[in-house]
Amino acid sequence: MTTRPPRILAIAGSDSSGGAGIQADIKTITMLGGYAMTAITAVTAQNTRGVRSFEVLSPDFVAAQIDACMDDIGVEAVKIGMLGSADIAEVVADRLEDLGKPIVFDPVMVATSGSALADDATIEVFEWLMELATLTTPNVPELAALGGADTMAKRGVTYLAKGGDADGPMVEDILVRPGHEDRKWSAARIITQHTHGTGCTLSSAIATYLAQGLSLEDAVSKAREFVRAAIIAAPGFGGGSGPLGHQAVRRSAP
């Protein structure tokens, strides 16, 4: 009898170049043995050099996608990425309020290329989503925009402070959980320009591993390994920040 894969719903924007967003989510979830479903919040015209333009879908249509997946297929975990507007952020939070399943929230504000992907009104709604999330995964500028470590501590948020945007030869990621000692991971920085979609990939990998029953620490640890392997396997496409090599990473059992 074939074991059914865990079902992961990715709520995020589409990346026309295939490196980040929904496309990275689907690749990651599939490579790690999950069943990927999507609720697309926005569509973009972008490549490795940046986002040329994007169009946001209506909140009602985003909600309809979420409902369609959950009502029929079901879900073991949710990953949230680019939301596109405050209204979409609110409808997503409303739909997930009583889910009772792992939720990984990547508070996307700026693309790897530097393009802004969230306005101030949208960022204000992030507090509600962080309250619902099992884990929030801000990078250095996103953590600062959310008020920094002190503000996150006051909110009681569990988060992974990603260090890829910090300076130095080592990359340090820190898991911060109220009432627990911080867990730190440190690894040598991989020198490359091909890092488009690393945040999307990491958060989707964590969601998939949580759906498979791993603890939060183990899910983060294995997700980091997957992202590093995908960076090393990057195909070198594009003249800017190129995509990762998801398809080249051999899947390991949880």
Side-chain angles (χ1 to χ4, degrees), residues 101-209:
K101 302 287 185 178
I103 298 170
V104 179
F105 175 38
D106 183 16
V108 178
M109 301 178 194
V110 180
T112 303
S113 62
S115 302
L117 298 176
D119 59 19
D120 291 342
T122 303
I123 294 171
E124 287 182 9
V125 187
F126 283 3
E127 184 171 349
W128 185 7
L129 289 166
M130 289 190 294
E131 290 175 0
L132 299 177
T134 306
L135 180 70
T136 300
T137 60
N139 59 26
V140 173
E142 289 164 351
L143 181 57
L146 292 170
D150 290 343
T151 299
M152 297 289 267
K154 291 177 182 177
R155 292 172 176 158
V157 175
T158 294
Y159 67 97
L160 180 69
K162 300 180 296 188
D165 293 304
D167 296 326
M170 304 296 289
V171 174
E172 185 176 78
D173 299 329
I174 305 173
L175 177 62
V176 181
R177 293 170 293 175
H180 293 78
E181 184 176 350
D182 293 352
R183 169 70 193 276
K184 299 180 181 181
W185 291 266
S186 184
R189 184 179 301 277
I190 301 169
I191 307 302
T192 178
Q193 71 183 44
H194 301 297
T195 57
H196 185 50
T198 48
C200 307
T201 299
L202 179 68
S203 53
S204 288
I206 294 171
T208 304
Y209 283 128

